[in-house]
């Protein structure tokens, strides 16, 4: 089952451009079929959904991370931001596979039936069984 996540516009752009290849979260959806399902990206502060991304794998990582100096680049964030977010925590790295960009953004409420942009993630019931 697909999920919806909220990201700032610059991180959505980094995903669409292929610069951001991992999404880092504290948790991962239980009902997400790796290699088939994925996440819709809603722009923070709006109802606009700009793309769908297939999740190919999910990696558990503890601070400090073994990916070395390249992980902030793969996340499209600064080293300081990553270190502050991860300090003393275990995180999930969602490996981004195929990306489908929408020419005209979907609306989170009208097209996906999710009432608001989620803090962590929300399942997208309308998209169940319909991955891109």
């Amino acid at each position: 089952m697909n999920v919806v996540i909220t990201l700032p516009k610059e991180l959505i752009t980094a995903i669409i451009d292929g610069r951001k290849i991992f999404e880092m979260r504290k948790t991962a959806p239980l009902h997400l079929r790796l290699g088939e399902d994925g996440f819709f990206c809603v722009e923070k502060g709006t109802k606009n959904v700009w793309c769908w991304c297939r999740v190919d794998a999910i990696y558990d990582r503890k601070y400090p991370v073994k990916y070395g100096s390249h992980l902030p680049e793969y996340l499209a964030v600064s080293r300081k931001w990553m270190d502050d977010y991860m300090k003393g925590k275990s995180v999930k790295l969602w490996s981004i596979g195929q990306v489908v960009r929408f020419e005209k953004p979907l609306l989170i409420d009208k097209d996906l039936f999710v009432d608001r942009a989620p803090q962590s993630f929300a399942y997208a019931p309308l998209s169940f069984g319909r991955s891109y």
Side-chain angles (χ1 to χ4, degrees):
M1 178 176 255
N2 293 303
V3 297
V4 177
I5 66 170
T6 305
L7 289 172
K9 180 67 171 176
E10 61 269 13
L11 292 182
I12 295 172
T13 300
I15 289 171
I16 291 169
D17 292 347
R19 293 179 286 119
K20 180 175 170 59
I21 62 172
F22 288 109
E23 174 58 21
M24 183 169 59
R25 297 278 159 156
K26 294 176 187 169
T27 60
L30 295 175
H31 304 292
L32 185 118
R33 297 169 300 179
L34 297 176
E36 294 181 41
D37 295 335
F39 59 91
F40 292 93
C41 295
V42 61
E43 181 182 351
K44 185 176 182 173
T46 75
K47 294 182 177 189
N48 296 330
V49 178
W50 290 102
C51 63
W52 173 86
C53 308
R54 188 181 65 224
V55 176
D56 286 343
I58 297 176
Y59 304 101
D60 290 314
R61 291 296 183 259
K62 291 182 181 174
Y63 186 83
V65 176
K66 303 277 190 217
Y67 275 99
S69 63
H70 293 292
L71 186 56
E73 178 184 334
Y74 298 153
L75 293 167
V77 298
S78 70
R79 165 71 62 186
K80 181 179 178 353
W81 187 95
M82 184 189 81
D83 287 344
D84 289 347
Y85 185 85
M86 292 186 73
K87 196 75 171 192
K89 298 177 191 166
S90 178
V91 296
K92 311 285 186 194
L93 296 177
W94 303 6
S95 177
I96 299 171
Q98 177 188 11
V99 176
V100 177
R101 180 180 179 264
F102 305 128
E103 291 299 320
K104 180 181 174 198
L106 302 178
L107 296 176
I108 189 172
D109 53 352
K110 293 185 176 161
D111 294 313
L112 297 178
F113 295 123
V114 176
D115 60 347
R116 59 184 165 78
Q119 176 69 26
S120 177
F121 64 83
Y123 287 101
L126 183 63
S127 69
F128 181 74
R130 189 185 92 191
S131 294
Y132 286 82

